Amino acid sequence: MMRSLLVRGMLAGLIAGVLAFVFAYLFGEPSVNSAIGIEEAGSAEHSHTHDPAAGQAQGSGDEARQPEEELVPRDIQSTVGLLTGVLVYGVAIGGLFSLAFAFVYGRIGSLRPRVTAALLTAGAFGVVFFVPFLKYPANPPAVGQPGTIGERTELYFGFVAVSLLAGILATVFGRKLADRLGAWRGGLLACAGYVVVMAVVAWLMPVIDEVPATFPASTLWSFRTASVGTQVTLWLTLGMFFGFFAEKVLKPSEKATAAAV
């Protein structure tokens, strides 16, 4: 049974990855291209301003300053590279999602597989992506200092880890509170506890705001909304397809068990 759920979870993640790629390519890549153009323009202006020989070098053939060649061309990054990354991410998330589903199914009430998958999808989306995004939102190229990439990455994944731990604890304690106070009250108290804990953690962790004042707000807004939209597409598709697959796997098993009893 676990193997069947794992395979179907990875399949659902693959389907979700394809749709997330389509969304990211259509709505995210234009803002990325705009940000890259801004970055290249700023680099060219900076080079021209600080290089006294820039004016002499222009038009002098071999002496002219040539731009650095990209290791991976931009057209490959925005197509094959983006597709590969999103598919790998989707399959990995799908496999982990199936393991989480197997753990919570039947432990948070006698809910149908589709309903359990829907609730797990909403909770995982909020815990793994949305809450960390509110603290450390995604930034396009030309935003942020190269020297702080390591620090920003550590802070982001540290916040994700805290959010995941708080979400697991909220689920465990919420189940215990539901036995005493009822499902509705127990669930509300668990959610409130998670929100309070994450609000305190977000307040304690450092703020990183490296968006230049001259960076277009419309480009930043488009990139971040596209990031959220890509994640919504991925998680929504994953939850829908996995719920459908899980229903097909678990319902016959439950009917066979009931018949045997």
Side-chain angles (χ1 to χ4, degrees):
M1 186 66 65
M2 186 63 247
R3 180 177 178 275
S4 298
L5 289 175
L6 179 61
V7 171
R8 283 160 177 78
M10 296 174 69
L11 177 60
L14 181 65
I15 298 172
V18 172
L19 294 181
F21 161 75
V22 173
F23 186 96
Y25 183 79
L26 294 177
F27 299 99
E29 283 302 310
S31 59
V32 173
N33 291 332
S34 299
I36 291 176
I38 295 171
E39 185 178 34
E40 292 176 348
S43 299
E45 181 180 356
H46 182 271
S47 175
H48 179 76
T49 303
H50 291 80
D51 189 356
Q56 300 176 1
Q58 289 180 350
S60 60
D62 297 336
E63 297 181 0
R65 181 184 297 270
Q66 299 295 331
E68 295 184 1
E69 184 178 357
E70 293 180 332
L71 296 178
V72 181
R74 175 62 189 147
D75 57 345
I76 300 298
Q77 294 178 15
S78 61
T79 53
V80 178
L82 177 62
L83 176 62
T84 302
V86 175
L87 289 183
V88 171
Y89 177 78
V91 171
I93 289 295
L96 295 174
F97 184 87
S98 65
L99 297 177
F101 175 87
F103 176 76
V104 303
Y105 182 65
R107 292 181 172 88
I108 56 175
S110 56
L111 302 175
R112 292 179 55 184
R114 285 185 178 180
V115 178
T116 303
L119 293 176
L120 181 61
T121 300
F125 171 79
V127 169
V128 176
F129 170 74
F130 190 68
V131 172
F133 182 87
L134 294 177
K135 175 63 178 178
Y136 298 114
N139 288 325
V143 173
Q145 301 298 327
T148 63
I149 292 178
E151 179 185 2
R152 285 182 280 139
T153 303
E154 292 174 358
L155 288 173
Y156 176 77
F157 283 106
F159 195 80
V160 171
V162 173
S163 178
L164 186 59
L165 178 60
I168 294 174
L169 293 177
T171 303
V172 173
F173 284 107
R175 185 67 184 87
K176 294 181 178 180
L177 291 172
D179 293 336
R180 297 182 179 182
L181 305 176
W184 181 251
R185 293 182 180 179
L188 286 179
L189 287 176
C191 292
Y194 169 81
V195 171
V196 170
V197 170
M198 294 311 300
V200 173
V201 173
W203 178 67
L204 293 175
M205 293 187 71
V207 177
I208 297 182
D209 184 9
E210 298 182 340
V211 180
T214 57
F215 192 86
S218 59
T219 301
L220 182 63
W221 173 257
S222 298
F223 178 82
R224 288 180 174 176
T225 52
S227 299
V228 174
T230 300
Q231 290 290 332
V232 169
T233 302
L234 187 142
W235 284 99
L236 184 60
T237 305
L238 173 62
M240 290 177 58
F241 276 91
F242 182 82
F244 173 78
F245 293 150
E247 195 92 5
K248 295 295 184 180
V249 172
L250 295 174
K251 277 301 179 181
S253 176
E254 292 176 358
K255 291 180 180 179
T257 302
V261 172

